[in-house]
Amino acid sequence: MEVIIAQFINGLSYGMLLFVLTCGLALVFGILGVLNLAHGSLYMIGSYVAYSITTTFTQSFWTALVVAPLVVAVIALIIERTLLRVTYRLGHLSQVLLTFGLAYVFHDLTKLIWGSNVLSIRVPDLLSGSVSLAGQTFPLYRLVIIGVGVVVAAGLWWLQNKTRWGAIIRAGLSDREMIGALGININFVFTAIFVLGGILAGFGGVVASPILGLYPDMEFQTLILALIVLVIGGLGSIAGTFTASVLVGLLETFGRYLFPELSMFLIFGLMAMILVWRPNGLLGKQVVEG
Amino acid sequence: MKNVYLQSAVVLLLFAAAPFFISSFHITLLTEILILAIFALSLNVLVGYTGMVSLGHAAFFGTGAYSAGIIAQHISANMLITLFGAVLCSIVLAGIIGLFCMKVNGFYFLMLTLAFSQMVYSFVYQSTGWTGGSNGLSGIPSPVLFGWEIPNIVWLFYVIAALFMMLYAGLRIVVGSPFGKVLVGIRENEKRLKSMGYNTYLYKYAAFVISGALGGVSGSLYTYFNGFIAPSDVYWTMSGTVLIMVLIGGSGTMIGPVLGAAMIVILETVIATYTDMWMLILGSIFILFVIFFPSGIYGIWQDIVSRFQKQHIHPEAAKINKERAS
């Protein structure tokens, strides 16, 4: 019983981590219709910038938590303004390919700046303890991640459903031209959403790196996981992404515990099954075709 | 396209004469280009003709490569057997993956193919007993054809060049046939074809399996060529690189993927002497092509040709040419 509880908490925290990594991608995909294959790269840049900050400049995890997402936001802003904007008239496929090319470029740039060693970020002292819960001790940081995931999910839900911004976003999702005709600067909305996606990717990078570590190719691993969550959850739905994250997190953790050799296949198997059962994902709507 | 037979004869002659005029290093390069050109052509059946952008084609390349290597090690190094085995494995894999992937379109297709190829990758990576895991598969005996062990790169080049020409001709016939026209129709407007009574599901599935089988062929050729397979040949960067080849060369044309493969291999060889930032340069070139030259190298060439011909031919014909180029 204790083992099950422990695995459950671990799985939940891993799922929340996945949610933080995926929600930026889901937001950009759901609203702009841009499948950002450079999302993993933005996550990676967030991680590495946080590493530089925690080891060289200020030694503070908290500074990194604020500065790294901002750095990624600036990069996202530049990408959207200079490259992505040009491709909006070329169709969705061009955008996928463009961000794919960017992922290649960022891969080598990161290697150039930070080298290809395996690095890690230490958990800040304040969060490095452990907590006793139901007769079990858990690392505090994992519990905090669960909280962070819930807060981010609640925040995005609030933004999408309760604010004027959310109304604009939802309207833009169903009819882009109409919302432009209503006098809303849709270009600005697009930029803002893409930058927000970047901030979430960078934030995810900082939060996840004490657990997942930093290594070359990390962005591809992350991207694949994020895409799986996105496919399972369905397009344009924060709730779907949240459900899928928790599902994948739990399945991966229990799978790794019960059948260590099969853990990777379990997730892919889940995805294949869900796609056969519900081609648009668990809570997804009909996908926008480019 | 004035005379197909004349063109094939010229290409045949050039291939036959190549080893007498260029160094063995360049023959090696040419062989690699031909292998990857087959790979790119196989993906082009999906991306260019059927309009299904797959980001998991390395799965078939890797399956072909590994099954050819494993068969050569354990059963027989006879090229006919290894090639047959590799193609069979790829067809089975494509048949299974295709069943799932045909259910979805667009982005979902891209992500699903990517996920399946990563599944193949993790299988290759984890089953160390068969594939050597992260060390790759080494000690593969050199290929044997009709009881004759292929002695050097020049003879291997001849074998691969012959196979390349056969596959190229075969694919040309396939895409020119009514079957190929239906695939193009699916790319342009699947709903319309469906309402005309075509079973588009079956056509797409067939295209997927053909594409997977050809990917397996190129993978097995790569095994003969290299004598060694690394798991990175199944990794998704391989899928990405071949997609880039197809798009840079010009998707939806026969010669485009060949040009793309040639350009990427040559660039890689040239750049590798200066810097190891290969992905940076490949990515930048790709971005430029996506934004400025979506129809690829062959598209640029057609543009130049049609611009040059404009003064000489009837304006109506020039318009048709231009439409074809775009």
Side-chain angles (χ1 to χ4, degrees), chain B residues 16 21 60 130 141 168 194 206 212 241 264 277 281 302:
Chain B
F21 293 100
F60 306 114
W130 280 97
Y168 188 90
K194 246 185 205 158
T241 309
I264 300 289
M277 295 285 119
I281 291 163
Q302 278 184 320

Side-chain angles (χ1 to χ4, degrees), chain A residues 29 33 35 37 83 86-87 90 92-94 96-98 100-102 104-105 107-109 111-112 217 220-221 223-224 227-228 230-231 234-235 261 264-265 268 271-272 275-276 279-280 287-289, chain B residues 47 53 55 99-100 103-108 110-112 114-116 118-120 122-123 126 235-241 243-244 247 276-284 286-287 290-292 294:
Chain A
F29 183 29
L35 179 61
L37 292 182
L83 293 172
V86 191
T87 61
L90 293 175
H92 289 304
L93 179 61
S94 302
V96 179
L97 298 174
L98 178 92
F100 185 57
L102 277 175
Y104 270 64
V105 170
H107 180 83
D108 264 3
L109 282 182
K111 219 165 69 181
L112 188 70
D217 278 355
F220 294 143
Q221 309 267 17
L223 182 68
I224 301 266
L227 289 178
I228 290 172
L230 199 65
V231 168
L235 161 79
E261 292 92 15
M264 206 56 190
F265 291 98
F268 289 118
M271 186 182 74
L275 273 170
V276 172
N280 289 322
V287 67
V288 188
E289 287 296 338
Chain B
V47 175
V53 181
L55 202 45
L99 280 181
F100 290 103
K103 295 205 167 274
V104 294
N105 280 312
F107 291 130
Y108 277 75
L110 189 135
M111 288 189 263
L112 202 55
L114 179 60
F116 272 111
Q118 281 306 102
M119 206 158 146
V120 174
S122 48
F123 177 75
Q126 281 177 359
Y235 203 53
W236 80 303
T237 43
M238 190 72 184
S239 309
T241 309
L243 184 63
I244 291 176
L247 293 165
D276 61 345
M277 295 285 119
W278 160 238
M279 287 177 83
L280 177 73
I281 291 163
L282 179 64
S284 312
F286 184 53
I287 290 173
V290 166
I291 296 179
F292 297 109

